[in-house]
Amino acid sequence: MGDPRNPKRADEPWNPERLRVSEAEVRALAPWVTVSGGWAWHFMAPPHEELKLFHDHKDVDLFVEPSRFPELVPVLTARGYHRIWTRFDATSTHFYRYARHDEGGKVILDVFVRRVPSVEVNGVRVVDPATLLTFYGDIHSTEDCVSVLAARRLLAGGHSPIGRAELVTRPH
């Protein structure tokens, strides 16, 4: 639910320390959540250089099943997160933003309380790629990143995008 990215900065790398901290948080929360958005594409892609044009790492988008949300909240609190109010709070009963600011940097978690189809990739559950693509234009905003465009082409051709280099290959 972040703001659209700045196309002038698409070729820039993401801050490696911020990525390290965010990935550590994703892995720590993995027993409770399904990863969505840019981090889902990150885990589906083969190892790659972290450029902004590939996928969005401004925040971490997570889904949690409604029955597991009461378990997740104390885990977030214990990890130093606090609830942040957003413009979506007035209209949604299934979206919550949590943030943590410390010496490791800032981590923003967008938590959607909803069951979604998922697959396990690289030790984490991610939203099923075909389902994930349906979230662009609604839940996720960066629909012109390389990973999203490549996944659309791959799925249209009957191919799974998981593990495919196209997810992190510069367009020609």
Side-chain angles (χ1 to χ4, degrees), residues 62-81:
L62 304 171
F63 281 87
V64 59
E65 293 194 20
S67 64
R68 306 257 359 235
F69 185 61
E71 296 173 39
L72 179 64
V73 172
V75 172
L76 295 174
T77 302
R79 297 189 68 76
Y81 288 94

Side-chain angles (χ1 to χ4, degrees), residues 8-73:
K8 293 177 185 171
R9 300 185 71 189
D11 286 323
E12 291 180 13
W14 287 99
N15 177 311
E17 180 60 14
R18 185 171 181 184
L19 291 174
R20 186 193 65 73
V21 169
S22 293
E23 183 168 346
E25 290 304 302
V26 168
R27 292 194 179 280
L29 299 171
W32 294 274
V33 302
T34 299
V35 181
S36 191
W39 279 100
W41 298 121
H42 170 84
F43 286 110
M44 283 190 259
H48 57 280
E49 179 184 16
E50 292 294 342
L51 298 179
K52 292 182 180 182
L53 66 99
F54 292 149
H55 35 250
D56 184 2
H57 288 304
K58 288 184 295 224
D59 56 20
V60 180
D61 298 303
L62 304 171
F63 281 87
V64 59
E65 293 194 20
S67 64
R68 306 257 359 235
F69 185 61
E71 296 173 39
L72 179 64
V73 172

Side-chain angles (χ1 to χ4, degrees), residues 73-129:
V73 172
V75 172
L76 295 174
T77 302
R79 297 189 68 76
Y81 288 94
H82 60 280
R83 175 88 188 275
I84 298 225
W85 297 96
T86 72
R87 66 183 185 261
F88 303 105
D89 290 328
T91 59
S92 176
T93 58
H94 68 279
F95 170 75
Y96 303 90
R97 180 168 286 163
Y98 287 87
R100 186 184 80 195
H101 304 266
D102 57 28
E103 68 280 348
K106 173 175 76 170
V107 180
I108 297 172
L109 307 176
D110 282 352
V111 179
F112 301 87
V113 181
R114 186 167 120 195
R115 181 179 207 157
V116 293
S118 64
V119 295
E120 187 167 325
V121 180
N122 293 321
V124 298
R125 268 187 323 278
V126 300
V127 175
D128 172 76

Side-chain angles (χ1 to χ4, degrees), residues 114-157:
R114 186 167 120 195
R115 181 179 207 157
V116 293
S118 64
V119 295
E120 187 167 325
V121 180
N122 293 321
V124 298
R125 268 187 323 278
V126 300
V127 175
D128 172 76
T131 302
L132 180 54
L133 287 176
T134 69
F135 296 159
Y136 286 87
D138 179 23
I139 292 174
H140 303 314
S141 60
T142 313
E143 61 185 300
D144 63 343
C145 72
V146 168
S147 293
V148 171
L149 297 173
R152 281 193 180 122
R153 284 190 306 273
L154 287 163
L155 286 168

